[in-house]
Structures are given as C-alpha cells and as structure tokens.
Amino acid sequence: MSGGVPIRSTRLRRALHGPRPEAVPVLVARAGALVGLLDIAAGVFPRFRHSRMHTMAEVLPGALGPFAAALSLSTGVLLLLLAHGLRRRKRRAWRAAVALLPAGALAQFTYRHSLVGAAISLALLVPLVRHRDQFRALPDPRSRWRALANFVLMGAGSLVLGLIIVSVHPNRLVGDPSLADRITHVLYGLFGFEGPVDYQGDTSWTVGVSLGALGLLTAITTIYLAFRPEHPAAQLTEEDESRLRVLLAKHGGRDSLGHFALRRDKAVVFSPSGKAAVTYRVVSGVMLASGDPIGDVEAWPGAIERFMDEAKAHSWTPAVMGCSETGGEVWTRETGLDALELGDEAVVDVADFSLAGRAMRNVRQMVKRIERAGYETRVRRVRDLGETELERVRQAAEDWRGTDTERGFSMALGRIGDLADGDCLIATAHKADDQPGPYGDLKAILHFVPWGTDGASLDLMRRDRSADPGMNELLIVAALQAAPKFDITRVSLNFAMFRSALARGEKIGAGPVLRAWRGLLVFLSRWFQIESLYKFNAKFQPRWEPRFVVYRASGDLPRIGFAAMQAEGFVNLALPLPRFLRRRSHTARTCAHAVAERDVRAA
C-alpha cells in the first residue's frame, strides 16, 4: 500500500464525518490564544476599554480598575503560555486552563459585576471539560535549564510589555520622561517599587499594579519550572544496548544505519516479541527515529506500533529520518503516514572498486600526490589499537572537530574507541614531522561502524587543519583497498540530501522547475553541505540507495526539518558548555560503559 492511500482515505473520512476529535485541542488552543491576546489588550490599552471592542471585551476577564487590569493582563499572558500545551493535548495545560477560566469569571463578577461576562467566561470551560479525554498527553523530557530560559524570555517580554504600559497614557504623564526613565520605571515596577515616571490621577497606581503583576508572574513561573519534578530525556540503558546488539548480530546486515541505533542519547521501544526495536530521540516535541527498525522484518510492525503509541501518549510528532525504501513501505503501510524521498546514500561495492579508468582520474592523482608527500595509512579494528594510541585518536577527533557541538544523529555513533565497539574500523593517516604536534604523526582519522558481518558504514571524518588537502579521499581509498582483509564487501559513505534533484537539474533538457530547485539547493549549500557532499561521494563511483523521511502531514515537515537540524547539530538551542566540561562528561560516559563491558566479559 502506498503512503498516499491512507491520507486520501483520511480526507474522505473528514469530508463524510466532519473534523476528527483530535482537532478539538487545536480549536481550544486557538480560542485560548485569542482570549489571551484580548485580555492583554484590555489590561494594557485604556482606549481599548472604551472602544467599540469594549462590548467584545466584556465577555473576557475584567478591564476596569487597577487590580482588574493586572488580573486581565496576568490571565492573558498565562493563556498565551498555555495555548501551545493545549494544542499538544498536555494534561497539565488542561488543568491550568480549567483553573484559570473560573478565576477570570470571578474577576468579571467581582470587579465589573457582569453576570453575562462571568457566564460566557465559564462557558469557555465547556469544550475543555466535555473533551477532557483528548487532553491526556504526558510531559515532555525537561531539565532545570527550562526555568532559566523562562526567566530570560518572560523577563524580556515583561520589559517590552511594561514599556507599552508605561507609554500608553500620554495625556496622563507628568512632564516628558525620557526612554531611559521609562525603562527604569519598568524595571523598578517589575520588582514592586515606584519609578521616576509619574501620572495624574490614579493612573500611576494602575500602571504600578500592572507592572508588579508582570514581575510576579515572571517570578512564579520561573520558580514553578525550577522546582517541578524533572523528566530527563530517556537514554539507552545497558540492558537496552545489550538487547540491540543481539538483534544487530542477527539482522544488522539489512540496514547500513543499524549500528547507529546504539547511540546512547537515544531511547528505544521493542516489539512485544522483543524481536524488533525502534530507537528515537525527542527533539522539540518531535519523536525522531532514524533508519529502519532493528531486528526481524516480520516483527517490525509490533515495534512501530509501540513507537506510535509512545508518540500519542506524549503528543509528540512522529517522524523517521533516512529509512530505506523497504522501511518506508512498512512505516506507511502500518501507520498511514506518508513518505518523501530525502536523498541518496552512497554505497561502494568493494569488488567493483578500482582507481583505474578516466572516471577515477582525479581521485587517483590526488592519492598519488599525497602519498609522494610522505603520508602513509593504516586501517585496523578498534580492538587492535593499544589504549595509548586509542586515547590519542579520541583526543584528536575531539580537538579537530570544527564545531562546538558534536554533529550527527542518523549516521553518527557519537563516540569513538569504545570497548563495546571493537569491530569498528579506524583508518588513520600519518606523516613524520620535524616538529610533531600533540598527537605525534597522526594527521587524519576515519571511523567506520559495522554493517552486519560483511559491511562498514562511515561514521566520522576528522583531520588536522594543517594537513594537506585530500586526507579524506586518501583514507577512503585506503579503507576500500584494505576491506577484503577484513572480509568487508560493501562500504557505505556519506548521505547526500536531494542528490537526484542535483543530478537531474544539471543535465541537458532539465525543465525550469527542476533547474530552479537545483539553484536553490546550490544556494543553500553555502551554509549546509548539500552539493559538496554529493560531489564528494560521486568521486568514488558508488551506487545510490534512496533514503526517505516519513511524516504525518505536510504541515509537520517544517517542524520535523527543524528538529532534524537540531538532532544533527546544525542548530543548537542549548546553553553551551565549556570544553573541559564537555570532555569530562564524555570521558565519564566512556569509562562507565567500559567498566560495564569488562564486567560483562568477566561474567
């Protein structure tokens, strides 16, 4: 069954039976956001309270009097904060909204004596209470950093909103306060103190109470986020990793991305039989899997069902990056999701590889030139390296990394030289110098993970910036030439996104749409390795294996793309850690797993 069939049947069902029940949270969230905006407007702008929109504002929490203005402002901000949680069917957001709307109704009756306004405010509870079963989603993974982020964002928002509050009473201002005076007044007001700006009548009291409410709201939300229970991101346990290694030993030859499922920053769900598994990471509310499920193909549906159940329980957006054509067919058939070709994986068959011929002329000349410059290569299993040399390789790979964060998710293991990964291959380039650096004669590193028993998949490429160009080509050729010694018959290189569009767009006869699409990809290649990876892979005359992204709806694609960029390390929203802390954390994880591996071997 193709991926488009379930979507067409879903659209037909919507046309015949109306909107799905899942659409209710979206409508409630939009209504809550609208109410929040109107509440803020009613609390901030005095003209709004006396305009034609006043009749509309009467049905919302009050807008008259200092305390009513502050309550309206606070209610509006909180409803805006809750809108995203309501949209994602979060249970805690539902509870907060259910508690907040009666408070707004109470404000209507207490400060404005409006029975109609209170009744309509309470009426907003009807869809929330009636469809309470739709709001069952569990919390997302979170940490204490969320409190700091809330303090910064809420503080900035309160400052901007406070400046508006201070400035919307021009006819009541005493004198002509400067921008610095207004900012000072806002900052003082957020902490509950009087500032340098003064107003006629009771406006000063209204402004002061509103600013104090914003400051109190910032403090309360930050304290709540700081002291609420943590839900850390799930990671592979030692038991999970052992079970995955057993599955890979039996079925790892099916997918070149299989070994990357052993990244320890991923979580895993197993099929009921335990014969298949799907590994994933949650990024910005997207439950992101990569590659095909691990294990027996017949057990894939059970693992996929568990994956979708977990996504539904937390209201995460399910997505799969880089699955094969077979994997895409199973995903779309079992879930009703759709699939889109994302790019191609370059696979080199060792038996067919040769430096001879015109097509390999550039690679052949580059390799010969580098070898004449005095470079030599070594290709070994990780378990064959001594601990001293292995530690030097680890440190070099860390220091030669071109970015602050480790990049890679779908085709990266995230570690090198682990005792549990003894079957991995390391290709190194060496050159003796008169003044050796901190890593001796080591100049470049390529790391390959196993692809079943007869394959290898490229994990990372690192080189000394002072080394001659062409180190990667040299080591790939060395690895391919040494592959028969390790009984390796196929090697997977880099993944080239949108490869077919780049290839077809440069051919004669390409249409204007295809040429425009290729032009956009070339333009984006200034910041992302799109065209360069395609051309680099093409040097080795590989066969191209298509890879797909699996998604729920077209509207989810931007969000999935952003989450994938975060997972791959191209976008980093987390606070950066100093290098020594990153290294200490990496060393601690490596040592812990090394000790566990020794214990297992001893047992």
Side-chain angles (χ1 to χ4, degrees), residues 105-420:
L106 180 63
Q108 288 275 358
F109 182 75
T110 303
Y111 293 111
R112 304 183 56 208
H113 310 291
S114 174
L115 293 175
V116 175
I120 297 181
S121 295
L122 291 174
L124 294 176
L125 286 173
V126 173
L128 283 173
V129 176
R130 181 180 178 183
H131 299 283
R132 58 186 177 274
D133 291 338
Q134 296 293 323
F135 299 89
R136 296 288 186 184
L138 301 175
D140 288 348
R142 57 175 180 252
S143 66
R144 304 300 184 198
W145 291 113
R146 185 74 178 272
L148 179 60
N150 177 83
F151 177 77
V152 173
L153 295 177
M154 282 288 293
S158 297
L159 180 62
V160 172
L161 199 55
L163 282 174
I164 297 175
I165 293 172
V166 169
S167 304
V168 293
H169 305 276
N171 298 328
R172 297 290 186 123
L173 279 171
V174 176
D176 186 17
S178 63
L179 179 61
D181 290 335
R182 299 183 189 206
I183 294 176
T184 302
H185 191 84
V186 172
L187 292 176
Y188 274 67
L190 292 176
F191 288 94
F193 300 104
E194 281 290 334
V197 180
D198 198 9
Y199 300 88
Q200 299 174 2
D202 61 353
T203 302
S204 180
W205 176 240
T206 302
V207 170
V209 172
S210 298
L211 293 176
L214 285 176
L216 185 62
L217 194 61
T218 301
I220 290 176
T221 54
T222 301
I223 292 172
Y224 166 74
L225 292 174
F227 289 97
R228 67 178 178 171
E230 285 192 83
H231 288 263
Q235 294 185 334
L236 281 186
T237 65
E238 294 177 12
E239 180 184 357
D240 291 337
E241 185 172 335
S242 298
R243 295 176 66 184
L244 286 173
R245 289 185 182 276
V246 171
L247 294 178
L248 287 171
K250 295 180 180 179
H251 308 281
R254 184 175 295 278
D255 185 17
S256 62
L257 273 61
H259 199 86
F260 298 120
L262 298 176
R263 283 184 65 103
R264 288 164 184 158
D265 58 359
K266 290 183 177 181
V268 61
V269 289
F270 289 91
S271 65
S273 65
K275 295 182 178 181
V278 175
T279 59
Y280 66 91
R281 187 198 297 176
V282 179
V283 183
S284 298
V286 177
M287 192 178 182
L288 199 63
S290 60
D292 293 345
I294 307 300
D296 189 351
V297 175
E298 294 183 358
W300 282 8
I304 291 173
E305 183 179 2
R306 288 280 180 88
F307 177 89
M308 296 300 293
D309 289 343
E310 191 76 5
K312 183 178 180 181
H314 292 83
S315 191
W316 291 331
T317 300
V320 185
M321 298 294 296
C323 65
S324 68
E325 187 169 3
T326 300
E329 289 176 353
V330 176
W331 274 100
T332 55
R333 183 185 69 233
E334 297 296 327
T335 63
L337 301 179
D338 206 350
L340 179 69
E341 185 172 339
L342 187 61
D344 295 271
E345 174 189 10
V347 178
V348 178
D349 293 313
V350 174
D352 298 333
F353 177 76
S354 173
L355 287 177
R358 183 177 181 82
M360 298 298 295
R361 178 182 178 184
N362 291 336
V363 176
R364 181 174 64 250
Q365 291 178 343
M366 179 174 289
V367 170
K368 293 299 183 183
R369 177 179 59 81
I370 296 174
E371 288 177 343
R372 288 194 299 268
Y375 288 90
E376 64 175 20
T377 59
R378 302 170 193 168
V379 182
R380 293 160 289 175
R381 297 281 188 188
V382 166
R383 59 171 173 266
D384 296 329
L385 273 70
E387 183 58 36
T388 301
E389 184 178 7
L390 195 55
E391 180 60 27
R392 185 164 63 246
V393 168
R394 289 194 196 103
Q395 295 298 332
E398 172 73 15
D399 292 342
W400 291 345
R401 188 176 63 203
T403 59
D404 291 335
T405 56
E406 184 77 45
R407 287 187 174 178
F409 168 70
S410 57
M411 294 188 71
L413 188 60
R415 61 181 182 269
I416 185 171
D418 196 290
L419 290 177

Side-chain angles (χ1 to χ4, degrees), residues 472-553:
N472 294 330
E473 289 87 343
L474 173 68
L475 288 180
I476 287 178
V477 170
L480 290 170
Q481 291 176 340
K485 182 176 65 175
F486 301 99
D487 296 323
I488 291 175
T489 61
R490 51 187 179 165
V491 175
S492 169
L493 301 179
N494 287 309
F495 171 74
M497 291 185 62
F498 309 115
R499 196 275 315 175
S500 59
L502 290 169
R504 293 198 304 267
E506 63 184 357
K507 290 183 178 180
I508 187 172
V513 175
L514 189 57
R515 288 185 179 274
W517 176 225
R518 181 183 180 277
L520 176 62
L521 293 176
V522 172
F523 175 75
L524 293 176
S525 296
R526 298 180 181 180
W527 296 276
F528 306 102
Q529 293 181 333
I530 300 176
E531 185 183 29
S532 60
L533 274 181
Y534 158 57
K535 290 185 174 180
F536 177 83
N537 291 335
K539 292 179 180 180
F540 303 96
Q541 302 299 306
R543 57 181 169 88
W544 299 101
E545 297 290 341
R547 291 281 174 173
F548 299 83
V549 56
V550 177
Y551 59 97
R552 182 172 54 189

